[in-house]
Protein backbone atom coordinates (compact mmCIF):
# COMPACT_ATOMS: atom_id res chain seq x y z
CA UNK A 1 0.00 0.00 0.00
CA UNK A 2 1.46 3.42 -0.92
CA UNK A 3 2.56 5.51 2.06
CA UNK A 4 2.91 9.25 2.54
CA UNK A 5 6.46 9.20 3.84
CA UNK A 6 8.06 7.00 1.22
CA UNK A 7 10.38 7.96 -1.60
CA UNK A 8 9.03 7.95 -5.13
CA UNK A 9 10.52 8.80 -8.52
CA UNK A 10 8.75 10.90 -11.15
CA UNK A 11 10.50 10.71 -14.51
CA UNK A 12 13.86 10.67 -12.74
CA UNK A 13 12.95 13.27 -10.08
CA UNK A 14 13.36 11.82 -6.59
CA UNK A 15 10.67 12.87 -4.09
CA UNK A 16 11.33 12.05 -0.45
CA UNK A 17 7.64 11.98 0.45
CA UNK A 18 4.29 12.42 -1.25
CA UNK A 19 3.60 15.96 -0.02
CA UNK A 20 3.64 18.75 -2.60
CA UNK A 21 3.63 22.48 -1.91
CA UNK A 22 0.97 23.68 -4.33
CA UNK A 23 2.05 26.77 -6.27
CA UNK A 24 1.48 30.02 -4.40
CA UNK A 25 1.98 33.39 -6.01
CA UNK A 26 4.10 34.82 -3.21
CA UNK A 27 4.10 38.41 -4.50
CA UNK A 28 7.56 38.89 -3.00
CA UNK A 29 9.87 39.09 -6.00
CA UNK A 30 11.58 42.29 -7.15
CA UNK A 31 8.73 44.47 -8.46
CA UNK A 32 10.29 45.49 -11.77
CA UNK A 33 12.68 42.71 -12.73
CA UNK A 34 10.68 39.75 -11.32
CA UNK A 35 13.95 38.40 -9.88
CA UNK A 36 14.09 36.30 -6.72
CA UNK A 37 15.36 38.21 -3.69
CA UNK A 38 16.41 37.04 -0.23
CA UNK A 39 12.90 37.32 1.22
CA UNK A 40 11.45 35.18 -1.57
CA UNK A 41 14.23 32.61 -1.20
CA UNK A 42 13.89 32.39 2.60
CA UNK A 43 10.15 31.85 2.19
CA UNK A 44 10.75 28.87 -0.13
CA UNK A 45 13.48 27.55 2.12
CA UNK A 46 11.23 27.60 5.20
CA UNK A 47 8.73 25.24 3.51
CA UNK A 48 11.58 23.01 2.30
CA UNK A 49 12.98 22.92 5.82
CA UNK A 50 9.48 21.90 6.93
CA UNK A 51 10.09 18.66 4.95
CA UNK A 52 7.95 19.11 1.88
CA UNK A 53 8.77 16.54 -0.82
CA UNK A 54 8.14 18.75 -3.85
CA UNK A 55 8.22 22.52 -3.73
CA UNK A 56 6.32 24.33 -6.49
CA UNK A 57 7.25 28.02 -6.28
CA UNK A 58 4.60 30.43 -7.45
CA UNK A 59 3.52 31.15 -10.93
CA UNK A 60 6.54 32.50 -12.80
CA UNK A 61 5.58 34.61 -15.80
CA UNK A 62 7.08 33.55 -19.13
CA UNK A 63 6.97 37.02 -20.74
CA UNK A 64 6.27 40.59 -19.63
CA UNK A 65 2.97 40.34 -21.46
CA UNK A 66 2.15 37.30 -19.31
CA UNK A 67 2.72 38.97 -15.92
CA UNK A 68 -0.39 39.09 -13.75
CA UNK A 69 0.43 40.85 -10.46
CA UNK A 70 3.04 43.03 -8.78
CA UNK A 71 5.82 41.14 -7.02
CA UNK A 72 5.26 38.03 -9.13
CA UNK A 73 8.36 35.93 -9.82
CA UNK A 74 9.54 35.94 -13.44
CA UNK A 75 11.36 33.47 -15.67
CA UNK A 76 10.93 35.63 -18.76
CA UNK A 77 14.59 36.46 -19.37
CA UNK A 78 18.07 35.21 -18.55
CA UNK A 79 18.53 37.82 -15.81
CA UNK A 80 16.11 35.80 -13.64
CA UNK A 81 18.30 32.65 -13.73
CA UNK A 82 20.88 33.50 -10.99
CA UNK A 83 18.15 34.33 -8.42
CA UNK A 84 16.22 31.18 -9.28
CA UNK A 85 19.45 29.17 -8.99
CA UNK A 86 19.98 30.53 -5.45
CA UNK A 87 16.39 29.59 -4.63
CA UNK A 88 16.92 26.03 -5.93
CA UNK A 89 20.11 25.69 -3.91
CA UNK A 90 18.29 26.77 -0.73
CA UNK A 91 15.45 24.28 -1.33
CA UNK A 92 17.82 21.43 -2.22
CA UNK A 93 19.77 22.00 1.00
CA UNK A 94 16.77 20.52 2.82
CA UNK A 95 16.28 17.53 0.53
CA UNK A 96 13.19 18.79 -1.32
CA UNK A 97 12.84 18.82 -5.11
CA UNK A 98 11.66 21.90 -7.04
CA UNK A 99 9.24 22.33 -9.95
CA UNK A 100 8.86 25.91 -11.11
CA UNK A 101 5.32 26.80 -12.16
CA UNK A 102 5.22 28.59 -15.53
CA UNK A 103 2.37 30.89 -16.41
CA UNK A 104 0.92 33.50 -18.73
CA UNK A 105 -1.82 35.68 -17.27
CA UNK A 106 -3.85 36.05 -20.46
CA UNK A 107 -6.63 38.53 -19.74
CA UNK A 108 -6.10 38.12 -16.00
CA UNK A 109 -3.62 41.00 -15.84
CA UNK A 110 -3.38 43.54 -12.99
CA UNK A 111 -0.11 45.28 -13.91
CA UNK A 112 0.43 47.83 -16.68
CA UNK A 113 1.30 46.26 -20.00
CA UNK A 114 3.80 47.69 -22.50
CA UNK A 115 1.19 47.27 -25.21
CA UNK A 116 -1.62 48.88 -23.21
CA UNK A 117 -3.73 45.73 -23.35
CA UNK A 118 -3.75 42.13 -22.16
CA UNK A 119 -3.73 39.21 -24.61
CA UNK A 120 -6.12 36.27 -24.38
CA UNK A 121 -8.08 33.88 -26.57
CA UNK A 122 -10.78 36.47 -27.32
CA UNK A 123 -11.59 40.16 -26.96
CA UNK A 124 -12.87 40.83 -23.46
CA UNK A 125 -12.22 42.93 -20.35
CA UNK A 126 -11.53 40.96 -17.20
CA UNK A 127 -9.51 43.61 -15.36
CA UNK A 128 -8.80 47.33 -15.87
CA UNK A 129 -6.89 46.38 -19.01
CA UNK A 130 -8.83 45.51 -22.13
CA UNK A 131 -7.93 42.06 -23.43
CA UNK A 132 -7.34 41.51 -27.14
CA UNK A 133 -7.73 38.24 -29.00
CA UNK A 134 -4.37 36.69 -29.80
CA UNK A 135 -3.36 36.43 -33.43
CA UNK A 136 -1.73 33.24 -34.72
CA UNK A 137 1.62 35.05 -34.43
CA UNK A 138 0.86 35.94 -30.77
CA UNK A 139 0.04 32.30 -30.11
CA UNK A 140 3.24 31.04 -31.74
CA UNK A 141 5.34 33.57 -29.81
CA UNK A 142 3.70 32.65 -26.51
CA UNK A 143 4.24 28.93 -27.11
CA UNK A 144 7.91 29.70 -27.74
CA UNK A 145 8.02 31.85 -24.57
CA UNK A 146 6.85 28.88 -22.48
CA UNK A 147 9.54 26.66 -24.03
CA UNK A 148 12.28 29.25 -23.43
CA UNK A 149 11.11 29.70 -19.84
CA UNK A 150 11.26 25.94 -19.22
CA UNK A 151 14.85 25.87 -20.49
CA UNK A 152 15.74 28.72 -18.10
CA UNK A 153 14.13 26.87 -15.20
CA UNK A 154 16.25 23.84 -16.04
CA UNK A 155 19.37 26.00 -16.32
CA UNK A 156 18.62 27.39 -12.86
CA UNK A 157 18.66 23.81 -11.53
CA UNK A 158 14.93 23.23 -11.10
CA UNK A 159 14.14 19.51 -11.10
CA UNK A 160 10.93 19.98 -13.08
CA UNK A 161 8.47 22.53 -14.42
CA UNK A 162 4.74 22.75 -13.97
CA UNK A 163 2.51 24.47 -16.53
CA UNK A 164 -0.20 26.56 -14.89
CA UNK A 165 -3.23 25.35 -16.77
CA UNK A 166 -5.83 26.15 -14.08
CA UNK A 167 -7.73 29.06 -12.47
CA UNK A 168 -8.43 31.25 -15.55
CA UNK A 169 -4.89 32.05 -16.60
CA UNK A 170 -4.11 31.86 -20.31
CA UNK A 171 -4.05 28.06 -20.81
CA UNK A 172 -7.24 27.72 -18.80
CA UNK A 173 -8.86 30.62 -20.69
CA UNK A 174 -8.27 28.80 -23.97
CA UNK A 175 -9.86 25.66 -22.52
CA UNK A 176 -12.94 27.49 -21.30
CA UNK A 177 -15.82 28.41 -23.64
CA UNK A 178 -16.62 31.15 -21.11
CA UNK A 179 -13.46 33.03 -22.18
CA UNK A 180 -12.70 31.42 -25.54
CA UNK A 181 -15.10 32.59 -28.28
CA UNK A 182 -12.79 31.85 -31.19
CA UNK A 183 -14.11 30.39 -34.38
CA UNK A 184 -10.74 29.19 -35.73
CA UNK A 185 -8.91 25.96 -34.86
CA UNK A 186 -8.29 27.23 -31.28
CA UNK A 187 -11.97 27.55 -30.35
CA UNK A 188 -15.16 25.48 -30.35
CA UNK A 189 -14.68 21.75 -29.75
CA UNK A 190 -12.61 20.42 -26.84
CA UNK A 191 -9.93 19.37 -29.34
CA UNK A 192 -9.70 22.96 -30.55
CA UNK A 193 -9.81 24.58 -27.09
CA UNK A 194 -7.09 22.17 -25.92
CA UNK A 195 -4.87 22.93 -28.92
CA UNK A 196 -3.03 25.80 -27.25
CA UNK A 197 -2.28 23.75 -24.09
CA UNK A 198 -1.02 20.84 -26.17
CA UNK A 199 1.15 23.11 -28.33
CA UNK A 200 2.70 24.58 -25.18
CA UNK A 201 3.23 21.13 -23.68
CA UNK A 202 4.83 19.73 -26.85
CA UNK A 203 7.08 22.78 -27.25
CA UNK A 204 8.20 22.56 -23.63
CA UNK A 205 8.80 18.82 -23.97
CA UNK A 206 10.83 19.31 -27.14
CA UNK A 207 12.88 22.03 -25.44
CA UNK A 208 13.72 20.13 -22.23
CA UNK A 209 13.88 16.59 -23.63
CA UNK A 210 12.13 13.37 -22.64
CA UNK A 211 13.97 12.84 -19.34
CA UNK A 212 12.90 16.06 -17.63
CA UNK A 213 9.65 16.06 -15.64
CA UNK A 214 6.93 18.30 -17.04
CA UNK A 215 3.80 18.60 -14.90
CA UNK A 216 0.57 20.52 -15.40
CA UNK A 217 -2.08 21.90 -13.06
CA UNK A 218 -5.59 21.76 -14.53
CA UNK A 219 -9.13 22.64 -13.64
CA UNK A 220 -11.61 19.83 -13.23
CA UNK A 221 -14.40 22.41 -13.53
CA UNK A 222 -14.49 26.20 -13.88
CA UNK A 223 -17.77 26.58 -11.96
CA UNK A 224 -18.66 29.28 -14.48
CA UNK A 225 -21.58 29.71 -16.79
CA UNK A 226 -20.55 28.12 -20.08
CA UNK A 227 -17.19 27.23 -18.55
CA UNK A 228 -14.95 24.17 -18.76
CA UNK A 229 -16.83 21.32 -17.07
CA UNK A 230 -16.07 18.00 -15.49
CA UNK A 231 -17.45 16.29 -18.58
CA UNK A 232 -14.44 17.57 -20.55
CA UNK A 233 -12.00 16.94 -17.73
CA UNK A 234 -11.06 13.27 -18.27
CA UNK A 235 -10.97 13.49 -22.09
CA UNK A 236 -8.65 16.50 -21.72
CA UNK A 237 -6.38 14.65 -19.26
CA UNK A 238 -6.13 11.76 -21.74
CA UNK A 239 -4.95 14.24 -24.39
CA UNK A 240 -2.30 15.55 -21.99
CA UNK A 241 -1.23 11.99 -21.22
CA UNK A 242 -0.80 11.21 -24.88
CA UNK A 243 1.15 14.43 -25.45
CA UNK A 244 3.72 13.36 -22.86
CA UNK A 245 3.06 15.15 -19.57
CA UNK A 246 4.45 13.36 -16.50
CA UNK A 247 1.84 14.15 -13.84
CA UNK A 248 -1.35 16.17 -13.47
CA UNK A 249 -2.39 18.29 -10.48
CA UNK A 250 -6.15 18.62 -10.23
CA UNK A 251 -7.81 21.80 -9.01
CA UNK A 252 -10.89 23.79 -10.01
CA UNK A 253 -12.56 27.19 -10.10
CA UNK A 254 -11.43 30.51 -11.48
CA UNK A 255 -10.91 34.06 -10.30
CA UNK A 256 -14.26 34.89 -11.90
CA UNK A 257 -16.31 32.07 -10.39
CA UNK A 258 -18.49 32.42 -7.33
CA UNK A 259 -15.87 32.63 -4.54
CA UNK A 260 -17.45 29.61 -2.91
CA UNK A 261 -16.26 27.60 -5.88
CA UNK A 262 -12.79 29.04 -6.28
CA UNK A 263 -9.79 26.74 -5.94
CA UNK A 264 -9.74 27.63 -2.30
CA UNK A 265 -13.31 27.37 -1.12
CA UNK A 266 -13.90 28.89 2.30
CA UNK A 267 -14.67 26.46 5.06
CA UNK A 268 -18.38 25.78 5.33
CA UNK A 269 -19.15 25.57 1.62
CA UNK A 270 -18.27 21.88 1.44
CA UNK A 271 -19.41 19.32 3.99
CA UNK A 272 -17.29 19.62 7.13
CA UNK A 273 -15.97 16.08 6.88
CA UNK A 274 -14.97 16.49 3.23
CA UNK A 275 -11.52 17.96 3.26
CA UNK A 276 -10.91 17.00 -0.34
CA UNK A 277 -12.66 19.51 -2.60
CA UNK A 278 -12.01 17.71 -5.89
CA UNK A 279 -12.68 14.14 -4.79
CA UNK A 280 -15.19 13.44 -7.54
CA UNK A 281 -12.76 14.63 -10.21
CA UNK A 282 -10.00 12.44 -8.73
CA UNK A 283 -12.29 9.39 -8.80
CA UNK A 284 -13.17 10.00 -12.44
CA UNK A 285 -9.48 10.51 -13.31
CA UNK A 286 -8.46 7.27 -11.61
CA UNK A 287 -10.91 5.25 -13.66
CA UNK A 288 -9.33 6.26 -16.99
CA UNK A 289 -6.03 8.11 -16.70
CA UNK A 290 -2.82 6.24 -15.84
CA UNK A 291 -0.57 9.22 -15.10
CA UNK A 292 0.36 10.08 -11.50
CA UNK A 293 -2.22 12.36 -9.91
CA UNK A 294 -1.48 15.26 -7.55
CA UNK A 295 -4.59 16.25 -5.63
CA UNK A 296 -4.95 19.73 -4.16
CA UNK A 297 -7.70 21.50 -2.28
CA UNK A 298 -8.73 21.48 1.35
CA UNK A 299 -6.46 18.85 2.88
CA UNK A 300 -6.00 19.80 6.55
CA UNK A 301 -5.31 16.59 8.46
CA UNK A 302 -2.68 13.88 8.29
CA UNK A 303 -5.43 11.30 8.50
CA UNK A 304 -7.05 12.55 5.29
CA UNK A 305 -3.70 12.88 3.52
CA UNK A 306 -2.91 9.28 4.46
CA UNK A 307 -6.32 8.16 3.25
CA UNK A 308 -5.85 9.92 -0.14
CA UNK A 309 -2.63 8.05 -0.78
CA UNK A 310 -3.43 4.69 0.85
CA UNK A 311 -6.82 4.40 -0.87
CA UNK A 312 -5.23 5.17 -4.22
CA UNK A 313 -7.35 8.29 -4.75
CA UNK A 314 -4.15 10.17 -5.68
CA UNK A 315 -0.40 9.63 -5.70
CA UNK A 316 0.54 12.96 -4.15
CA UNK A 317 -1.18 15.38 -1.77
CA UNK A 318 -0.71 19.09 -2.49
CA UNK A 319 -1.23 21.78 0.13
CA UNK A 320 -1.12 25.58 -0.14
CA UNK A 321 -2.74 27.78 2.53
CA UNK A 322 -1.79 25.70 5.58
CA UNK A 323 1.87 26.05 4.60
CA UNK A 324 1.56 29.85 4.52
CA UNK A 325 0.62 29.72 8.19
CA UNK A 326 2.71 26.72 9.22
CA UNK A 327 5.66 26.13 6.90
CA UNK A 328 6.80 23.30 9.20
CA UNK A 329 3.45 21.45 9.02
CA UNK A 330 4.74 18.29 7.30
CA UNK A 331 7.66 17.99 9.72
CA UNK A 332 5.30 18.49 12.65
CA UNK A 333 3.05 15.68 11.39
CA UNK A 334 5.96 13.36 10.67
CA UNK A 335 7.34 13.92 14.15
CA UNK A 336 4.06 12.84 15.71
CA UNK A 337 2.17 16.08 16.40
CA UNK A 338 -0.76 15.12 14.21
CA UNK A 339 -3.14 17.89 15.20
CA UNK A 340 -5.08 19.45 12.33
CA UNK A 341 -3.43 22.28 10.38
CA UNK A 342 -4.23 25.58 12.10
CA UNK A 343 -5.17 27.26 8.79
CA UNK A 344 -8.82 28.37 8.91
CA UNK A 345 -9.13 28.72 5.10
CA UNK A 346 -10.30 32.33 5.46
CA UNK A 347 -8.54 33.40 2.23
CA UNK A 348 -7.25 36.61 3.78
CA UNK A 349 -3.79 35.56 2.52
CA UNK A 350 -4.87 36.61 -0.99
CA UNK A 351 -4.90 40.27 0.16
CA UNK A 352 -1.15 40.82 0.54
CA UNK A 353 -0.55 38.98 -2.74
CA UNK A 354 -2.94 41.26 -4.61
CA UNK A 355 -1.37 44.38 -3.08
CA UNK A 356 2.19 43.25 -3.84
CA UNK A 357 3.04 43.23 -0.13
CA UNK A 358 3.97 39.54 -0.18
CA UNK A 359 2.00 36.60 1.12
CA UNK A 360 1.57 35.90 4.83
CA UNK A 361 -1.16 34.55 7.12
CA UNK A 362 -3.22 37.65 7.84
CA UNK A 363 -5.40 35.88 10.43
CA UNK A 364 -2.34 34.76 12.36
CA UNK A 365 -0.80 38.23 12.23
CA UNK A 366 -4.04 39.80 13.49
CA UNK A 367 -4.11 37.33 16.35
CA UNK A 368 -0.50 38.14 17.24
CA UNK A 369 -1.25 41.84 17.30
CA UNK A 370 -4.33 41.29 19.45
CA UNK A 371 -2.26 39.23 21.91
CA UNK A 372 0.28 42.05 22.13
CA UNK A 373 -2.33 44.64 23.12
C1 LIG B 1 -2.35 33.33 -1.71
C2 LIG B 1 -2.57 32.25 -2.75
C3 LIG B 1 -1.85 32.27 -3.94
C4 LIG B 1 -2.03 31.26 -4.88
N1 LIG B 1 -1.28 31.27 -6.02
C5 LIG B 1 -1.36 30.24 -6.88
C6 LIG B 1 -0.51 30.18 -8.02
O1 LIG B 1 0.33 31.04 -8.24
N2 LIG B 1 -0.66 29.12 -8.84
C7 LIG B 1 -1.56 28.13 -8.62
O2 LIG B 1 -1.64 27.19 -9.40
N3 LIG B 1 -2.40 28.17 -7.58
C8 LIG B 1 -2.30 29.18 -6.69
N4 LIG B 1 -3.11 29.20 -5.58
C9 LIG B 1 -4.03 28.07 -5.34
C10 LIG B 1 -3.36 26.99 -4.48
O3 LIG B 1 -2.22 26.45 -5.09
C11 LIG B 1 -4.31 25.83 -4.15
O4 LIG B 1 -4.71 25.24 -5.36
C12 LIG B 1 -5.53 26.28 -3.35
O5 LIG B 1 -5.16 27.21 -2.35
C13 LIG B 1 -6.25 25.10 -2.67
O6 LIG B 1 -5.38 24.40 -1.83
P1 LIG B 1 -5.41 24.56 -0.21
O7 LIG B 1 -6.79 24.24 0.24
O8 LIG B 1 -4.38 23.58 0.29
O9 LIG B 1 -5.05 25.96 0.09
C14 LIG B 1 -2.95 30.21 -4.63
C15 LIG B 1 -3.67 30.22 -3.44
C16 LIG B 1 -3.49 31.20 -2.49
C17 LIG B 1 -4.26 31.14 -1.20
Amino acid sequence: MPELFETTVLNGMILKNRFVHSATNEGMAEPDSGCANERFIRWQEAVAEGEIGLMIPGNAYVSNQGKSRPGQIGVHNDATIPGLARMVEAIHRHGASVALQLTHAGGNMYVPSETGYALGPSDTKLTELPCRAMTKADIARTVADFAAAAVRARQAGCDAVQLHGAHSYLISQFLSPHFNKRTDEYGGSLENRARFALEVLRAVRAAVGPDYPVLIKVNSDDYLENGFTIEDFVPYCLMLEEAGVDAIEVSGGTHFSDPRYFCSRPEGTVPKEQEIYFKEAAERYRREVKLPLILVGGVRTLRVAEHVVASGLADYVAICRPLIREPNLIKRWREGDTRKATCISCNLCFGPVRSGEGVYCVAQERQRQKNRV
Side-chain angles (χ1 to χ4, degrees):
M1 199 190 288
E3 286 180 14
L4 272 174
F5 292 101
E6 68 183 349
T7 301
T8 58
V9 182
L10 198 56
N11 191 8
M13 172 169 64
I14 297 168
L15 300 171
K16 68 176 176 184
N17 61 45
R18 294 178 183 269
F19 280 108
V20 174
H21 169 270
S22 198
T24 307
N25 179 9
E26 303 84 2
M28 286 180 191
E30 288 302 303
D32 296 327
S33 65
C35 288
N37 50 29
E38 284 313 301
R39 184 174 168 227
F40 175 88
I41 293 169
R42 293 287 80 81
W43 198 89
Q44 308 295 333
E45 185 170 11
V47 182
E49 207 175 345
E51 300 192 0
I52 202 77
L54 177 63
M55 186 71 201
I56 308 187
N59 51 355
Y61 55 96
V62 300
S63 64
N64 276 322
Q65 182 67 54
K67 181 172 179 175
S68 178
R69 295 204 176 262
Q72 193 180 340
I73 189 78
V75 62
H76 56 300
N77 61 31
D78 289 353
T80 61
I81 297 175
L84 290 171
R86 282 189 290 119
M87 172 198 78
V88 171
E89 220 180 279
I91 295 171
H92 280 172
R93 258 203 298 279
H94 302 282
S97 291
V98 195
L100 187 67
Q101 190 183 51
L102 311 179
T103 194
H104 187 295
N108 206 351
M109 196 172 184
Y110 299 85
V111 290
S113 115
E114 285 156 16
T115 53
Y117 49 83
L119 279 177
S122 302
D123 289 337
T124 181
K125 195 165 185 298
L126 302 176
T127 68
E128 292 296 303
L129 277 182
C131 177
R132 291 210 185 148
M134 293 170 89
T135 62
K136 299 276 170 68
D138 292 327
I139 290 176
R141 193 175 51 248
T142 306
V143 168
D145 287 340
F146 269 99
V151 170
R152 284 185 206 107
R154 187 173 197 171
Q155 283 170 353
C158 293
D159 304 288
V161 290
Q162 183 188 57
L163 308 177
H164 192 353
H167 310 161
S168 65
Y169 292 94
L170 184 62
I171 292 176
S172 147
Q173 284 166 26
F174 266 94
L175 257 305
S176 176
H178 180 91
F179 302 103
N180 182 349
K181 310 287 183 198
R182 297 178 77 100
T183 52
D184 63 3
E185 68 268 35
Y186 291 93
S189 65
L190 175 63
E191 282 68 24
N192 283 357
R193 286 180 281 119
R195 192 176 306 279
F196 176 70
L198 297 174
E199 285 181 3
V200 169
L201 173 58
R202 291 195 185 104
V204 165
R205 174 58 76 210
V208 296
D211 59 348
Y212 189 73
V214 179
L215 324 177
I216 190 167
K217 186 168 179 176
V218 304
N219 266 5
S220 47
D221 203 305
D222 285 346
Y223 306 115
L224 273 179
E225 204 185 324
N226 197 26
F228 180 87
T229 71
I230 197 156
E231 300 311 320
D232 280 345
F233 163 65
V234 167
Y236 173 50
C237 290
L238 291 170
M239 292 178 197
L240 294 167
E241 184 170 57
E242 201 191 320
V245 80
D246 291 304
I248 298 181
E249 180 177 355
V250 173
S251 184
T254 78
H255 290 278
F256 308 96
S257 315
D258 181 322
R260 287 177 307 150
Y261 299 104
F262 185 46
C263 60
S264 41
R265 288 190 262 174
E267 212 153 81
T269 59
V270 284
K272 257 271 180 267
E273 70 281 7
Q274 189 188 320
E275 287 190 26
I276 318 159
Y277 300 158
F278 305 111
K279 185 164 182 265
E280 187 200 339
E283 286 166 350
R284 287 184 182 222
Y285 181 105
R286 280 312 213 196
R287 284 198 283 273
E288 294 190 55
V289 189
K290 292 186 184 58
L291 283 176
L293 171 62
I294 304 170
L295 188 56
V296 71
V299 175
R300 299 293 179 267
T301 56
L302 180 64
R303 187 184 54 80
V304 167
E306 275 170 348
H307 167 77
V308 166
V309 165
S311 66
L313 184 64
D315 302 280
Y316 298 94
V317 177
I319 299 183
C320 167
R321 287 166 293 169
L323 294 168
I324 297 173
R325 186 171 171 122
E326 291 180 274
N328 68 336
L329 178 64
I330 309 306
K331 184 165 188 272
R332 158 156 96 69
W333 281 347
R334 192 189 56 75
E335 288 178 345
D337 179 352
T338 58
R339 282 173 299 167
K340 189 178 180 184
T342 55
C343 171
I344 53 168
S345 309
C346 63
N347 285 341
L348 292 176
C349 48
F350 278 109
V353 174
R354 290 185 178 135
S355 68
E357 198 185 337
V359 73
Y360 66 93
C361 177
V362 175
Q364 189 179 40
E365 191 50 37
R366 283 184 186 167
Q367 192 57 47
R368 277 193 190 128
Q369 283 178 8
K370 221 165 127 188
N371 293 346
R372 256 182 239 133
V373 177

